[in-house]
């Protein structure tokens, strides 16, 4: 999670919402891909940290599925990212801060609980929640 938090801090320095994600091999712990939000920079509403990390790891692996990979992200994934996590067959999802407004895992759409969801990763929320939440609060406080 510390690598994901570093990606979130880098995103904030670029003027992006501070969310970071790191995909690791669940067996070896080696980093497969890491990213921070780049929505503003790329003018792309899908350029969330999770999406960018999944795309990079899939391209690197030459595969559309990342079974055995674990994703660490600083904020509860939105519904779009949660669905991508399911499609990629991510083994475990670890996230920091909960997102009651925009989350799609424990809040909102609860993607993994839907009968149409083909794969549900193991989910662990609240990992370094205070630090992840503080980054987000500071970012938005400074924007007001």
């Amino acid at each position: 999670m510390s690598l994901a938090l570093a990606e979130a801090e880098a995103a904030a320095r670029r003027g992006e919402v501070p969310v970071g994600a790191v995909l690791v091999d669940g067996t070896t712990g080696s980093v497969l891909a890491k990213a921070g939000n780049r929505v503003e920079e790329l003018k792309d509403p899908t350029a969330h940290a999770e999406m960018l990390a999944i795309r990079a790891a899939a391209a690197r692996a030459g595969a559309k599925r990342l079974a055995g990979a674990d994703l660490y992200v600083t904020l509860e994934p939105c519904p779009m990212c949660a669905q991508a996590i399911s499609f990629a067959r991510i083994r475990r999802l670890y996230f920091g801060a909960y997102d009651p407004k925009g989350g799609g895992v424990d809040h909102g759409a609860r993607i993994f609980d839907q009968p149409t969801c083909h794969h549900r990763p193991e989910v662990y929320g609240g990992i370094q929640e205070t630090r992840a939440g503080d980054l987000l609060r500071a970012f938005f406080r400074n924007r007001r």
Side-chain angles (χ1 to χ4, degrees):
M1 186 60 81
S2 60
L3 289 175
L5 287 161
E7 289 292 325
E9 291 166 350
R13 287 191 297 275
R14 292 191 305 273
E16 301 279 355
V17 174
V19 177
V22 178
L23 262 166
V24 301
D25 182 301
T27 304
T28 66
S30 63
V31 173
L32 303 173
K34 58 186 177 174
N37 276 0
R38 291 191 179 274
V39 172
E40 301 297 328
E41 174 187 341
L42 299 176
K43 309 289 188 265
D44 178 356
T46 70
H48 292 195
E50 303 94 307
M51 299 293 285
L52 297 172
I54 289 169
R55 288 177 191 151
R60 182 176 169 197
K64 65 181 182 180
R65 296 208 171 108
L66 300 168
D70 297 339
L71 178 63
Y72 293 81
V73 62
T74 58
L75 181 65
E76 175 184 350
C78 73
M80 173 184 68
C81 293
Q83 193 66 61
I85 289 164
S86 176
F87 286 156
R89 304 296 195 266
I90 304 282
R91 182 178 74 153
R92 291 188 185 116
L93 167 64
Y94 300 90
F95 69 85
Y98 289 86
D99 188 357
K101 277 178 79 173
V105 176
D106 282 349
H107 296 90
R110 299 176 191 254
I111 295 296
F112 304 138
D113 294 337
Q114 300 305 313
T116 55
C117 183
H118 297 291
H119 171 76
R120 184 192 199 297
E122 293 177 35
V123 177
Y124 304 92
I127 311 297
Q128 294 194 33
E129 179 179 8
T130 301
R131 185 169 168 210
D134 287 349
L135 271 172
L136 288 158
R137 281 186 289 280
F139 177 82
F140 287 110
R141 183 173 46 251
N142 291 336
R143 302 288 263 186
R144 292 185 190 126

